[in-house]
Amino acid sequence: MRLVDQRALPRRLRFVECGTVSELCDAIRSLVVRGAPALGVTGAFGVALAVRTERGVAAVRRAAARLREARPTAVNLAWGVDRALAAWEAGGSEAALVEAERIAAADVAANRALGAFGAELVPAGARVLTHCNAGALAAAGYGTALGVVRAAFEAGKAPTVWVDETRPVLQGARLTAWELDRLGIEATVIPDALAGSLMAAGRVDVVVVGADRIAANGDVANKVGTYPLAVLAREHDVPFYVAAPTSTIDLATPDAGAVVVEERPPEEVLRVGRERIAPAGARALNLAFDLTPGRLVTAVVTEQGVARRPYGRSLAALVRQAGA
Ligand code: MRU
């Protein structure tokens, strides 16, 4: 498998090759590839890789289990692995690859469809605030939250974007800013902590973020820093939209309390890039995601349409529709 190395962007567009499932798990853990839908596609292709490199049914199943567990919060990873594994178990050797290719193509189509639904919610000339990276890099192509921005841009609405830098790994400053620049969409990187003042000054019209897992009741797990944005948006009457394919909705997770929040190495907080900024001996807590209650979410935008409260009903209906 050949993966864009997201760690090297925007300085360099380089690729990482993974010849085994162990190498692929390392690449997933170290954020070579990241973003929930991209992890789903990667997990599915990972099963196809396991089918080629592992010997015997039990070994393929074990490799699939390792892939599934490489990162815990984004439900798409387990979803993609399970889909490809089921296809292989039912259809034999090439079936995992065929399923992975199908998932990748469906993800791009889903992004475009949710982008179109989301664009209708974005007023002309809107100043959109987004967090982390939920663009083409985080998916199979096009993007989720950035898919909404892109679709609004393509519809002639001329959105501009406030890009949260997104500490600690700076996916916003590095990846979202890079993608928006390539798309020709006007963007301004801000420190995460500036969002509240911009909202208070009336300089944010809408917040659009992605999701790593959406629970059955509408609670949302997303990159840490999302929850404070939702609280701020409520305080300042700014619509707060979550854009994600239905593959990110996990009806088996009843609410935020059941989500496993990944804790990542403290070094990611104690350093900026390669440079250590904290004194020797300093400790850090690096919980990589936070949990936003569904009551703070104005709407969830999916490829099947837009869900609103009460989410228990509306999300289940969209998932049913997707499976129909
Ligand atoms: O840790 P990451 O970079 O894999 O997390 C990804 C995110 O949390 C993004 O915010 C995104 O919204 C979800 S994927 C489109």
Side-chain angles (χ1 to χ4, degrees):
M1 283 181 67
R2 196 157 177 261
L3 303 167
V4 172
D5 188 349
Q6 297 194 32
R7 300 167 308 180
L9 289 171
R11 290 183 316 278
R12 267 199 304 152
L13 179 57
R14 78 173 181 216
F15 296 86
V16 166
E17 308 226 333
C18 300
T20 65
V21 168
S22 296
E23 286 172 10
L24 184 59
C25 287
D26 286 344
I28 291 171
R29 273 191 291 268
S30 64
L31 308 183
V32 168
V33 57
R34 46 147 299 282
L39 289 173
V41 173
T42 304
F45 277 105
V47 172
L49 178 67
V51 168
R52 286 173 187 213
T53 55
E54 304 290 324
R55 293 231 171 113
V57 174
V60 171
R61 288 189 184 140
R62 276 199 303 277
R66 292 209 312 277
L67 273 169
R68 237 178 161 275
E69 284 151 22
R71 293 191 73 195
T73 305
V75 69
N76 304 62
L77 177 58
W79 175 89
V81 168
D82 291 349
R83 292 284 279 250
L85 190 64
W88 172 70
E89 301 215 341
S93 64
E94 286 307 297
L97 186 56
V98 170
E99 180 66 3
E101 278 165 353
R102 204 195 59 73
I103 288 173
D107 187 63
V108 178
N111 283 197
R112 286 188 180 275
L114 74 83
F117 282 121
E120 288 173 21
L121 303 170
V122 175
R127 295 151 302 174
V128 180
L129 191 145
T130 192
H131 190 66
C132 193
N133 173 261
L137 288 164
Y142 204 73
T144 57
L146 280 198
V148 170
V149 173
R150 269 175 96 158
F153 178 73
E154 286 160 13
K157 290 188 163 181
T160 58
V161 185
W162 298 114
V163 178
D164 265 5
E165 61 175 350
T166 317
R167 277 285 288 151
V169 196
L170 301 169
Q171 292 97 329
R174 294 188 302 104
L175 306 175
T176 300
W178 184 73
E179 288 198 36
L180 289 170
D181 180 57
R182 283 165 60 109
L183 292 167
I185 299 175
E186 193 183 315
T188 306
V189 177
I190 57 168
D192 299 336
L194 187 59
S197 311
L198 289 179
M199 287 189 211
R203 298 177 70 186
V204 179
D205 300 304
V206 46
V207 178
V208 187
V209 297
D212 288 83
R213 187 182 298 244
I214 302 173
N217 73 341
D219 293 349
V220 173
N222 194 48
K223 180 55 54 189
V224 68
T226 301
Y227 169 55
L229 277 182
V231 174
L232 287 165
R234 172 60 56 91
E235 169 69 16
H236 296 100
D237 264 330
V238 174
F240 182 89
Y241 296 119
V242 173
T246 48
S247 54
T248 303
I249 300 170
D250 181 15
L251 298 180
T253 295
D255 55 35
V259 176
V260 176
V261 172
E262 177 182 8
E263 184 169 351
R264 296 190 53 82
E267 287 70 34
E268 288 181 351
V269 175
L270 299 170
R271 294 171 195 268
V272 173
R274 292 212 182 104
E275 191 174 338
R276 186 168 171 109
I277 50 168
R283 287 202 303 227
L285 176 63
N286 187 10
L287 296 173
F289 299 90
D290 63 21
L291 305 165
T292 299
R295 67 187 151 75
L296 297 179
V297 177
T298 309
V300 176
V301 182
T302 78
E303 81 283 5
Q304 298 295 330
V306 177
R308 293 187 187 264
R309 289 186 291 272
Y311 288 115
R313 262 208 306 269
S314 57
L315 292 175
L318 292 183
V319 170
R320 253 197 321 274
Q321 204 172 298

